[in-house]
């Protein structure tokens, strides 16, 4: 009897406890439903992959099954545009502002550094409770305060410059087992570059399931040099392509396989439905179609577009764009031809995740959520894209004004890309009023951006970054500039030019003038055999090592000559500097009277 009463009381107690737990769980469920986790955001940007470099867009050669499947399930923007080259697109995407406004109108020569006072997408997302991470290609500055982890990314893992193996990148990188920078610190990796970036992305999303994240996955592929695992190049061994294209297409297939891995992981971890995923590219194709020579037929495919990377015709700036958010109120499994551009991503994505974004500066982009939802928008919108690639933007240099399907190129050529996607039929004479209207918009736009045009200044002597390493990649010069390590090894060019620097405080500064990257440990007068790298055997310089005797630093008009170097790696020059903005010039001096620009300069406040 006592035992039965005990069991009865115990059963009642357990039932009461179960009901209490159930009630608590029910309340938690209600709270979760009332305050669901905000969507994650993943923006994927590939490099030099054009509109036609997808089998989804009719390419009969390239194999991209994972991207094709994603495209079919997502919303495609078929009239989406970016800059015509790398850095201009990335600057516009990060800020919502045309690159001519923010010192990123070029890819080298000091004009690919995003101005310090520009507000960036990760800064906005981080300020509003998002974890922020960047992987891959930044290309908007390699020095403090321009690096990705200075611009709103809590975590950044990236290569230097505008591509693996470029001058600011870690010495000897060649796409395989490279050393990249994690928040500025070199870190050795294992494997092929694109695999590394996607492995990092998957690892990051595994550890970021409790709070919303913003992930910017910016690949260096399929940018040259076209290094790719042999198995991927072999996929196109018998394709009607030249050897460069076979590797280029192989790089795209590798991207596709990795993209498939990421999507599968997001689905397996129940993150896919509540993640906004954007897939796009940074400019038109670099190698998807060959340039015909001697009357030969072009090899490859460009979706019938005119122009490739660097062109202000559609082939240079019309690119793939797919967006997916199954849990969100945006369209799926359809397309829209509304005019949209990279500068729209910041205002659009912030609106999608319900961030109250108030821009601090004039935007060229606008909130395009209505397009994503399938609502009717104003088709009169006009946008400008141009190709500058010079020391300062010039009015009328390679412009294209867009309005719906209309393109005004060079201020005189008019095309309707709905009827003439290849832009072969100039119909300006038939539509003089539209030509006038589009030119008027360009004039108004140019007048608005003029006051924004200025150079970024690299700070020296600040406690956050001392010493500072400058590379010739950021020298202001109209001359040919050695922007990659192949050219550095060959000693192909020693251009004349200057660096824009800002001295934080007065004092004595030490300049170390290097010919090769400091981490290379190579002497200034290294021999051909000594500078050989695994992937650089075809890039050996001709002749013997140079005999460099001294160095010269010029700050504005004041010259400082060399002291005896502490090492055969560099020449040391000391100078007393005043605070403020300065132009820095540097030279190696030889017994023959040569005036050669150092490729690397370390500046330290003593």
């Amino acid at each position: 009897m006592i035992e039965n009463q005990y069991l009865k009381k115990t059963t009642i107690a357990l039932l009461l406890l179960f009901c209490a737990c159930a009630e608590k769980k029910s309340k938690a469920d209600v709270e979760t439903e009332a305050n669901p986790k905000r969507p994650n955001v993943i923006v994927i940007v590939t490099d030099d992959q054009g509109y036609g470099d997808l089998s989804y867009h009719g390419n009969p050669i390239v194999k991209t099954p994972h991207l094709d499947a994603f495209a079919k399930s997502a919303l495609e923007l078929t009239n989406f545009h970016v800059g015509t080259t790398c850095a201009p697109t990335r600057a516009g995407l990060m800020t919502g502002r045309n690159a001519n406004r923010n010192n990123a109108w070029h890819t080298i020569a000091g004009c690919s550094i995003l101005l310090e006072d520009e507000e960036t997408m990760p800064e906005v997302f981080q300020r509003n409770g998002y974890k922020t991470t960047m992987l891959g290609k930044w290309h908007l500055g390699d020095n403090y305060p321009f690096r990705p982890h200075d611009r709103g990314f809590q975590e950044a893992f990236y290569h230097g410059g505008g591509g693996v193996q470029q001058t600011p990148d870690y010495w000897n990188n060649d796409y395989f087992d490279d050393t990249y920078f994690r928040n500025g610190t070199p870190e050795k990796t294992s494997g092929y570059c694109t695999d590394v970036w996607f492995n990092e992305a998957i690892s990051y999303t595994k550890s970021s399931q409790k709070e919303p994240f913003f992930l910017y996955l910016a690949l260096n592929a399929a940018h040259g040099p076209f290094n790719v695992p042999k198995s991927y190049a072999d996929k196109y061994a018998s394709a009607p392509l030249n050897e460069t294209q076979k590797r280029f297409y192989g790089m795209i297939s590798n991207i596709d396989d990795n993209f498939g891995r990421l999507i599968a992981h997001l689905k397996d971890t129940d993150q896919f439905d509540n993640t906004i995923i954007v897939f796009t590219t940074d400019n038109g194709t670099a190698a998807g179609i060959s340039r015909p020579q001697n009357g030969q037929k072009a090899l490859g495919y460009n979706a019938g577009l005119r122009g490739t990377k660097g062109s202000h015709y559609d082939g240079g700036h019309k690119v793939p764009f797919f967006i997916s958010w199954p849990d969100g109120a945006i369209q799926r499994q359809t397309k829209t031809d509304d005019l949209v551009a990279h500068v729209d991503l910041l205002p659009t994505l912030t609106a999608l995740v319900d961030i109250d974004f108030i821009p601090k500066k004039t935007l060229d982009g606008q909130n395009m959520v209505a397009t994503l939802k399938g609502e009717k928008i104003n088709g009169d919108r006009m946008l400008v894209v141009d190709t500058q690639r010079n020391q300062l933007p010039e009015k009328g240099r390679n412009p294209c004004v867009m309005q719906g399907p209309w393109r005004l190129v060079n201020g005189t050529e008019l095309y309707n890309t709905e009827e003439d996607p290849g832009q072969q039929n100039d119909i300006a004479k038939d539509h003089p009023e539209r030509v006038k209207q589009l030119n008027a918009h360009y004039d108004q736009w140019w007048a608005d951006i003029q006051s924004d045009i200025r150079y970024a200044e690299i700070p020296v002597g600040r406690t956050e970054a001392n010493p500072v390493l400058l590379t010739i990649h950021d020298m202001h010069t109209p001359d040919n500039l050695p922007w990659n390590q192949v050219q550095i090894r060959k000693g192909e060019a020693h251009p004349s030019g200057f660096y824009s620097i800002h001295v934080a405080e007065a004092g004595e500064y030490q300049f170390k003038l290097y010919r090769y990257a400091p981490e290379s440990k190579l002497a200034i007068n290294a021999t051909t055999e000594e500078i050989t790298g695994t992937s650089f055997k075809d890039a050996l310089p001709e002749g013997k090592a140079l005999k460099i005797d001294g160095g010269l630093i010029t700050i504005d008009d004041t010259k400082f000559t060399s002291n005896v170097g502490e090492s055969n790696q560099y020449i040391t020059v000391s100078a007393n500097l005043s605070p403020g903005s300065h132009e820095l010039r540097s030279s190696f001096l030889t017994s023959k009277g040569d005036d050669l620009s150092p490729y690397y300069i370390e500046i330290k406040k003593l």
Side-chain angles (χ1 to χ4, degrees):
M1 177 71 74
I2 293 173
E3 185 175 333
N4 289 339
Q5 288 179 350
Y6 174 78
L7 288 172
K8 185 177 181 181
K9 288 180 180 179
T10 302
T11 301
I12 292 171
L14 289 171
L15 285 170
L16 290 172
L17 180 62
F18 175 80
C19 291
C21 290
E23 184 180 357
K24 288 180 180 179
K25 183 178 180 181
S26 178
K27 287 181 179 178
D29 287 343
V30 170
E31 289 173 0
T32 300
E33 290 173 5
N35 299 287
K37 179 187 172 186
R38 298 166 86 175
N40 305 313
V41 180
I42 300 177
V43 177
I44 301 173
V45 179
T46 68
D47 202 344
D48 284 0
Q49 180 179 3
Y51 187 85
D53 295 329
L54 288 167
S55 53
Y56 186 71
H57 287 160
N59 191 314
I61 304 170
V62 75
K63 299 174 178 65
T64 53
H66 300 292
L67 283 166
D68 296 352
F70 179 76
K72 290 174 185 175
S73 66
L75 169 65
E76 179 181 9
L77 307 186
T78 60
N79 196 9
F80 182 81
H81 299 265
V82 294
T84 66
T85 53
C86 314
T89 292
R90 294 156 204 278
L93 189 152
M94 284 289 112
T95 65
R97 289 161 50 81
N98 184 279
N100 291 336
R101 297 183 185 272
N102 50 43
N103 189 60
W105 55 78
H106 201 348
T107 57
I108 53 173
C111 302
S112 61
I113 304 173
L114 183 65
L115 291 171
E116 184 177 359
D117 60 358
E118 292 286 339
E119 185 176 38
T120 67
M121 191 182 300
E123 288 172 339
V124 175
F125 273 88
Q126 185 185 358
R127 193 164 60 239
N128 286 274
Y130 273 75
K131 291 178 62 178
T132 55
T133 279
M134 179 266 165
L135 302 170
K137 174 171 173 171
W138 177 238
H139 201 182
L140 295 174
D142 295 288
N143 292 99
Y144 174 87
F146 309 110
R147 303 164 301 180
H149 50 292
D150 304 320
R151 308 309 299 263
F153 289 109
Q154 295 160 308
E155 182 81 11
F157 193 45
Y158 58 97
H159 61 74
V164 170
Q165 204 180 94
Q166 291 192 10
T167 300
D169 198 27
Y170 200 85
W171 190 255
N172 269 348
N173 276 357
D174 63 1
Y175 287 50
F176 298 92
D177 302 330
D178 291 339
T179 297
Y180 303 130
F181 301 95
R182 193 178 297 276
N183 288 5
T185 301
E187 182 177 310
K188 181 71 173 175
T189 68
S190 177
Y192 182 60
C193 55
T194 305
D195 300 339
V196 169
W197 306 131
F198 274 97
N199 288 342
E200 287 281 330
I202 290 171
S203 176
Y204 175 73
T205 60
K206 283 181 181 177
S207 64
S208 304
Q209 297 188 38
K210 292 184 179 180
E211 53 188 316
F213 61 80
F214 172 77
L215 170 61
Y216 176 48
L217 177 54
L219 308 177
N220 60 292
H223 194 289
F226 302 108
N227 298 337
V228 67
K230 185 176 182 298
S231 60
Y232 281 95
D234 287 349
K235 286 178 180 285
Y236 301 97
S238 60
L241 301 168
N242 61 42
E243 291 306 310
T244 293
Q245 289 177 304
K246 290 175 183 178
R247 296 194 298 274
F248 175 76
Y249 276 41
M251 294 170 85
I252 292 172
S253 283
N254 176 265
I255 290 170
D256 183 75
D257 281 348
N258 276 294
F259 180 82
R261 283 201 303 129
L262 176 61
I263 296 300
H265 161 71
L266 293 172
K267 290 180 177 179
D268 289 344
T269 53
D270 295 325
Q271 297 182 89
F272 180 77
D273 288 350
N274 197 35
T275 300
I276 298 169
I277 302 173
V278 169
F279 177 89
T280 189
T281 75
D282 67 348
N283 46 245
T285 189
I289 191 165
S290 66
R291 295 180 180 177
Q293 295 180 345
N294 302 321
Q296 295 178 340
K297 184 179 179 181
L299 300 175
Y301 180 82
N302 198 27
L305 299 179
R306 178 175 177 178
T308 56
K309 176 182 178 178
S311 172
H312 49 304
Y313 293 94
D314 266 22
H317 51 86
K318 177 181 175 178
V319 298
F321 186 98
F322 311 111
I323 182 168
S324 167
W325 183 21
D327 280 353
I330 67 173
Q331 299 180 89
R332 300 182 65 190
Q333 300 179 351
T334 191
K335 303 177 181 182
T336 176
D337 63 357
D338 291 347
L339 180 63
V340 188
H342 61 310
V343 290
D344 298 327
L345 259 65
L346 174 53
T348 301
L349 291 177
T350 51
L352 266 186
V353 302
D354 201 25
I355 287 176
D356 187 17
F357 170 56
I358 302 175
K360 297 178 180 178
K361 296 186 176 187
T362 300
L363 295 189
D364 295 287
Q366 64 186 47
N367 178 355
M368 299 299 290
V369 168
T371 284
L372 303 185
K373 292 183 176 181
E375 300 169 3
K376 186 176 181 180
I377 67 164
N378 180 6
D380 293 334
R381 181 193 191 190
M382 286 180 267
L383 278 167
V384 178
V385 64
D386 62 6
T387 303
Q388 291 290 339
R389 295 184 69 80
N390 56 350
Q391 275 298 289
L392 285 169
E394 299 173 6
K395 185 178 181 182
R397 182 179 173 86
N398 305 317
C400 173
V401 186
M402 300 179 286
Q403 183 184 39
W406 295 97
R407 307 285 183 268
L408 180 69
V409 179
N410 298 325
T412 58
E413 305 168 38
L414 184 69
Y415 303 95
N416 185 323
T417 57
E418 190 171 71
E419 301 171 355
D420 177 25
Q423 294 174 281
Q424 299 298 312
N425 183 25
D426 179 4
I427 53 176
K429 292 181 180 179
D430 300 330
H431 301 274
E433 286 303 314
R434 189 172 294 275
V435 170
K436 181 179 179 181
Q437 178 190 26
L438 295 174
N439 269 321
H441 174 79
Y442 178 75
D443 290 341
Q444 181 181 7
W445 174 80
W446 186 266
D448 185 59
I449 72 164
Q450 274 188 303
S451 61
D452 289 334
I453 296 173
R454 59 190 169 94
Y455 289 153
E457 296 180 333
I458 299 174
V460 298
R462 283 170 65 166
T463 56
E464 300 92 339
N466 188 41
V468 169
L469 181 68
L470 306 183
T471 77
I472 202 165
H473 195 273
D474 290 329
M475 175 192 280
H476 289 283
T477 178
D479 299 336
N480 292 329
L481 188 153
W483 53 270
N484 65 61
Q485 293 177 24
V486 171
Q487 295 166 310
I488 296 296
R489 283 173 163 79
K490 286 184 175 181
E492 284 186 339
H494 290 273
S496 176
F498 67 91
Y499 299 88
S500 293
I501 65 170
H502 190 275
V503 177
E505 57 182 39
E508 184 178 4
Y509 287 77
Q510 181 186 74
F511 296 78
K512 292 180 180 178
L513 311 184
Y514 290 84
R515 188 175 180 200
Y516 304 108
E519 69 269 16
S520 74
K521 307 299 184 184
L522 290 170
I524 288 176
N525 298 313
T527 64
T528 293
E529 291 75 17
E530 290 172 326
I531 69 168
T532 304
T534 304
S535 295
F536 300 88
K537 292 180 180 178
D538 295 330
L540 296 179
E542 297 178 2
K544 298 180 180 179
L546 292 174
K547 181 64 173 69
I548 296 175
D549 301 316
L552 171 68
I553 287 290
T554 303
I555 306 294
D556 300 326
D557 295 321
T558 305
K559 299 181 184 300
F560 302 89
T561 55
S562 66
N563 298 322
V564 176
E566 301 172 2
S567 162
N568 62 0
Q569 275 190 269
Y570 52 80
I571 300 293
T572 303
V573 181
S574 295
N576 285 304
L577 304 184
S578 59
S581 302
H582 299 282
E583 291 186 0
L584 162 67
R585 290 173 169 81
S586 61
S587 300
F588 283 131
L589 304 176
T590 74
S591 56
K592 296 180 180 180
D594 297 319
D595 185 355
L596 306 174
S597 299
Y599 295 138
Y600 303 85
I601 307 171
E602 183 188 275
I603 308 173
K604 183 177 182 180
K605 185 180 186 303
L606 301 177

